[in-house]
Structure formats: C-alpha cells, structure tokens
Amino acid sequence: MAKVVEESGIPVALITALTTLARDVGAPRIVQGVRIPHPCGNPTLPPDGDRAIRRRIVLMALKALQTLVIEPTSFVDPDVLM
Amino acid sequence: MRLEMGTFPVTEVAFGPRTRLDGSRLEIDRDELIALVLENGFFHRVRVDIVSPGESARIIHLLDTIEPRIKVEGPGGTFPGFLDAVETVGEGRTHRLAGVAVMESAELPWRGEKGLLMVREGIVDMTGPGAEYSPFWQTINIVLTLELKPNFSDEEYDRTIRLAGLKAAQYLAQTTTDQTAPRYRTYDLKISRPELPRVVYVHQIQSQGTFSQTFFYGKPLDDLIPTLVHPNELLDGALVSGNSAYQSLKTPTWLHCNNPVIEQLYDRHGRDWNFIGVILSRGHFYGIHEKERSANQVAKLARMLNADGAMVTWEGGGNSIIEAMLTIQALERAGIKTTAISYELGGVDGTGTPLLLYSVPEADALVSCGTYERPLRLPAVQRVVGGRTIRLDPAKGDHRLPAHQSLQLDTSLQMYCGTNQLGFGRRRGIDF
C-alpha cells in the first residue's frame, strides 16, 4: 500500500518493527518501530519515557518524508530499539 | 549418548478392573486413573473416554496430547522437569506405548476478546473428511475431560492440566515396566563413516507466554537464545508443549517425542549423511534485532558443528516465518545447504497471494505440508467427547455452535495439528 500511495505522488513513511518485511515489499521510507505489539512507542517504560520514544519516532518519520529516496530506505533511531 | 527405545504397540484399549498391558491390549482401571488426576484439587470432575479410529466421533477443546512413556533404565526420568528431576535424558532405556494418545480436553474460561495468545478450539474428527486433517484420527485416544473449578488463574489452569496429562501418560506406561518390548530401537549419533555430509536439524519452536509455550526440562523457552541439544533428549521427553494458541499449527508433546524429522535423519544416519545434532531456537520474537539474533546464532552454531546441510522446521504461523527465513538465509550464506518444511497460504484454491508471509531468495528448497486456508465442511457425528459446544473464534466473542452437528469452517485452523510443520500426517502439496 505504501508503494502504491508513493507512486501516486504522496510521500509515505512506514513505521514498523519488521523492517526486513517492509524492505521486501518495496516500501519507500521505512522507519524503525519498537516491537510488533507496539511499533510507535514503548509502554514498558514509565509514561514520560514512552512519550519521549513516541516523539522520536514521529520526528524520524517526518525527517524521512523530507528525504528524497530512490529505493527502499531505512530510517533508524538507535535509542528507539529495545 | 545411546538411547534404547522399547515400543509396545497397542491395538485395543478398554476399561477393566486393573490397569495392565496384555500383549497389545491395554486395560485401564478408570476409577484409579480418575483418582490420580483428581489428586491436585483443581478439577470438579474428570471423565475418561476411549475414542477409536473410524468412530463417528469428534473430540473438542483439545489442549496437549501425550504418548505414554516411562524411563525404565539409565539416567534421568520421565518428562524431566515436570514428573522427575532435571537430570539429562536421552540415554538408557525408555518404554513407549505406540498407537495411543493421552489427550487433555478442558474448556477454559472465556476472559473476553484477548488478542493473539489465547486458547483456541482444537478438534479431532475420528472419521470423515475432517479426519485426515489430524494425525490423531489414527491413534486410540484416551481423552481426559477436565471440568475446571472456577476462580483460578490461567497460569494455574495451564500448569495443573499439563501435570494431569503427563501423570496419566506415565501411569499408563507403567504397565510396561516389567515387560520386554516386542521391538527395540537404538538411537546413537556415533559416526561410523566420517566422509558423509554432516546434517544438522534446526527446530524452531513457539514460546511466548502462557498457553503458547514450550518447555525444556520444565523451563519455558520464552527467552531462548539458540542452543545445541541432542536429538535423544527430544525423543526422551525433554520438550513438553504448553501451546494451544493455534491448534492446527502447533507441536503437541506427543509429536515432540515422535518428531518425524529426527526419526528420518536417524534412519539414514551413517548411510547417506551424518546426523550431527539439533539446534533449538524460538520464533515470534517481537523485535527485529531478536529475530536477526536468533538466525545469526543458529548459523553460528551450525558452523561450529561443521554442518554441510541443515533441515529447518518451525512452529506456529504469523511472524515466526521471519525468524525461519532469516535462519535459512544465514545458513545458506554460511555455505550450509538448507531445506525446510513450510505450510503455504494461497487462499481458497491455492492460487491466491501471498503463498508465504515472508521469504528470502535463499529459501529455494521448501517442502509444503499443506495449507489451512481451504474451507472445510465437517459432517454431523454421533458422539462428541470433551464438551457439547465449540467456540470457533474466541477473539470475536463467546459465540458457540453445537459440536455434534455438521460444521462449515472457513479455514481448517481448528483441526488439531492439521498443518503441523514437522510434516506428520498425510497433507502435502502435490502440484506446483
């Protein structure tokens, strides 16, 4: 879906824990998510910590949207991964 | 490590005044068995039913299935970590009753829509079109229907049901303790022809919390980093299943002890290859690093063993295929020729995409063990064991259907071990 929307001219950033899978299907901008049950945050942290992670992921996704890509490209914030 | 397995084939099972094995006829003192199971105080009532191949019968609410086994000589005991101490098994002599299966059936309380890892319906039909979906239509099944006392936790139900099943299996196998088996088979990895190619078996199991777990000497494998085990340990009861999340895709304890991949690797050991060991790993990790770590560590262990070839199987569906595929990729990149058994998707008629949820270019030698995506119509049956109604999709609510009537299933996900990825059973792909 990401690929098709991108081809229509709207840039897409996909937040996912399964970056290998996203690359395989050709998603254009792949933003590293935390874990399968909670890709966009980390609820195992205290609320402020979780909020900080969520903010970092969204900021990374916004940065990805502003980046010109030609092939599937990964965007990883290492502090986000558990 | 040299294991002598004594097999006592059973062709008849009946209730009798004493539990004993007379040739191939197993008699069970029903009251004594029920008393044994009731000991733990967690069950209101226990029924014991004998269900035979070819009967118009349906067994429902299935949890684990266990082959009666007992250690008769040598180190360790039966189902170590549960019934006995955690001494390493896989040596000495063990007896098994072949052709029978002890089955746990219990209706667990419905706790609301809970997502992925809950107990789902598990069904065996002993005749008709549904029969061939489960390998257990061919065994004489001794079904323990356990009525649970209320207000216990999932963990307590899980543990007590498991111990009941294992105890019952050992109890029945005790009938062989003073007898000589009609046949013995020796399992020994000794290498007689070192020039043959070295083959390792990668056994990826599922273990993600209560009701979707696998145990090694009693320890849940939720945090498993790939490790080396001797195949005899698996044949001798080191792995016990606590996995009832997706019943068609799981490996019950019975199948862990009768792993067809291990049997066949042993069959041709010293003739076509040298079977060098088993690498145990876990799938369904939630983080991408954990998945990659598992694959990399499996390949590293295989390289340390100087493997030339690897056979890979995995348990459960969904994202566990990612670990499996990354493992195949890592092995192949290490120069180890790898093949695997997998179920396929393919939709209603096999032409749908995707065929696999994830794959890598290096996975070019896969054996299909069938699909669960085809619809299935089960006929009405005369006898239902385990309850009266079934709950097909607990994630959608507590809706029930009468179990004895004919059932139209959209998929065969409820058919017990129907798409088990050890390839045990008759289902396979025959056309590509």
Side-chain angles (χ1 to χ4, degrees), chain B residues 202-221:
Chain B
V202 178
H203 188 26
Q204 183 180 299
I205 52 83
Q206 179 166 15
S207 203
Q208 305 175 257
T210 307
F211 295 139
S212 62
Q213 273 176 324
T214 303
F215 302 88
F216 186 60
Y217 293 90
K219 179 167 170 54
L221 292 176

Side-chain angles (χ1 to χ4, degrees), chain B residues 116-158:
Chain B
L116 288 178
L117 303 171
M118 62 170 87
V119 172
R120 285 180 179 72
E121 192 59 64
I123 300 171
V124 173
D125 268 15
M126 300 303 286
T127 191
E132 299 224 329
Y133 277 76
S134 175
F136 296 103
W137 82 269
Q138 294 188 291
T139 46
I140 304 174
N141 298 319
I142 298 148
V143 184
L144 307 174
T145 303
L146 309 165
E147 275 176 41
L148 308 174
K149 286 185 183 168
N151 303 321
F152 287 109
S153 66
D154 283 349
E155 288 72 22
E156 284 167 305
Y157 288 135
D158 175 50

Side-chain angles (χ1 to χ4, degrees), chain B residues 243-280:
Chain B
N243 188 357
S244 298
Y246 285 100
Q247 302 275 19
S248 73
L249 294 166
K250 73 155 190 206
T251 309
T253 302
W254 194 103
L255 213 43
H256 277 305
C257 293
N258 289 296
N259 187 322
V261 176
I262 292 181
E263 294 284 347
Q264 300 212 15
L265 284 171
Y266 256 124
D267 279 348
R268 290 160 66 181
H269 170 71
R271 291 197 346 233
D272 296 316
W273 51 65
N274 285 318
F275 182 16
I276 57 175
V278 180
I279 297 171
L280 205 59

Side-chain angles (χ1 to χ4, degrees), chain B residues 51-326:
Chain B
V51 190
S52 299
E55 270 194 65
S56 171
R58 178 165 295 145
I59 311 174
I60 64 173
H61 300 330
L62 279 170
L63 300 169
D64 196 18
T65 295
I66 306 148
E67 184 174 76
R69 275 155 177 264
I70 191 154
K71 175 69 70 186
V72 293
E73 205 180 284
T78 309
F79 299 117
F82 288 107
L83 301 183
D84 276 313
V86 295
E87 203 173 348
T88 301
V89 292
E91 289 183 278
R93 184 179 301 159
T94 299
H95 283 175
R96 61 183 280 257
L97 295 180
V100 295
V102 170
M103 294 187 146
E104 300 159 0
S105 170
E107 192 178 318
L108 286 144
W110 185 72
R111 307 224 199 255
E113 290 101 347
K114 255 182 72 176
L116 288 178
L117 303 171
M118 62 170 87
V119 172
R120 285 180 179 72
E121 192 59 64
I123 300 171
V124 173
D125 268 15
M126 300 303 286
T127 191
E132 299 224 329
Y133 277 76
S134 175
F136 296 103
W137 82 269
Q138 294 188 291
T139 46
I140 304 174
N141 298 319
I142 298 148
V143 184
L144 307 174
T145 303
L146 309 165
E147 275 176 41
L148 308 174
K149 286 185 183 168
N151 303 321
F152 287 109
S153 66
D154 283 349
E155 288 72 22
E156 284 167 305
Y157 288 135
D158 175 50
R159 212 181 65 86
T160 52
I161 291 169
R162 176 165 41 258
L163 286 171
L166 293 173
K167 273 199 212 157
Q170 183 188 47
Y171 165 80
L172 294 175
Q174 270 162 356
T175 53
T176 68
T177 325
D178 298 319
Q179 297 191 39
T180 309
R183 65 174 194 267
Y184 286 91
R185 179 174 173 171
T186 305
Y187 294 94
D188 192 335
L189 287 186
K190 201 161 65 173
I191 293 187
S192 54
R193 293 178 54 195
E195 72 280 10
L196 293 175
R198 297 166 63 83
V199 177
V200 71
Y201 170 36
V202 178
H203 188 26
Q204 183 180 299
I205 52 83
Q206 179 166 15
S207 203
Q208 305 175 257
T210 307
F211 295 139
S212 62
Q213 273 176 324
T214 303
F215 302 88
F216 186 60
Y217 293 90
K219 179 167 170 54
L221 292 176
D222 293 24
D223 292 317
L224 179 65
I225 292 183
T227 192
L228 179 66
V229 305
H230 195 289
N232 291 4
E233 296 180 87
L234 307 198
L235 295 176
D236 211 13
L239 274 182
V240 168
S241 172
N243 188 357
S244 298
Y246 285 100
Q247 302 275 19
S248 73
L249 294 166
K250 73 155 190 206
T251 309
T253 302
W254 194 103
L255 213 43
H256 277 305
C257 293
N258 289 296
N259 187 322
V261 176
I262 292 181
E263 294 284 347
Q264 300 212 15
L265 284 171
Y266 256 124
D267 279 348
R268 290 160 66 181
H269 170 71
R271 291 197 346 233
D272 296 316
W273 51 65
N274 285 318
F275 182 16
I276 57 175
V278 180
I279 297 171
L280 205 59
S281 67
R282 198 215 106 166
H284 294 102
F285 279 114
Y286 283 152
I288 188 64
H289 275 182
E290 292 169 299
K291 288 172 160 353
E292 289 169 350
R293 184 185 303 126
S294 186
N296 294 340
Q297 287 297 310
V298 169
K300 176 210 73 184
L301 286 172
R303 283 172 62 199
M304 287 176 76
L305 294 171
N306 292 313
D308 299 301
M311 177 73 212
V312 177
T313 63
W314 67 95
E315 181 181 13
N319 68 80
S320 67
I321 196 172
I322 297 182
E323 275 91 346
M325 286 293 169
L326 292 177

Side-chain angles (χ1 to χ4, degrees), chain A residues 17-21 24 32 35-37 81, chain B residues 285-286 288-291 319 322 357-359:
Chain A
L18 299 179
T19 44
T20 33
L21 192 50
D24 217 50
Q32 181 71 63
R35 300 185 104 215
I36 294 173
L81 276 171
Chain B
F285 279 114
Y286 283 152
I288 188 64
H289 275 182
E290 292 169 299
K291 288 172 160 353
N319 68 80
I322 297 182
L357 284 176
Y358 181 68
S359 67

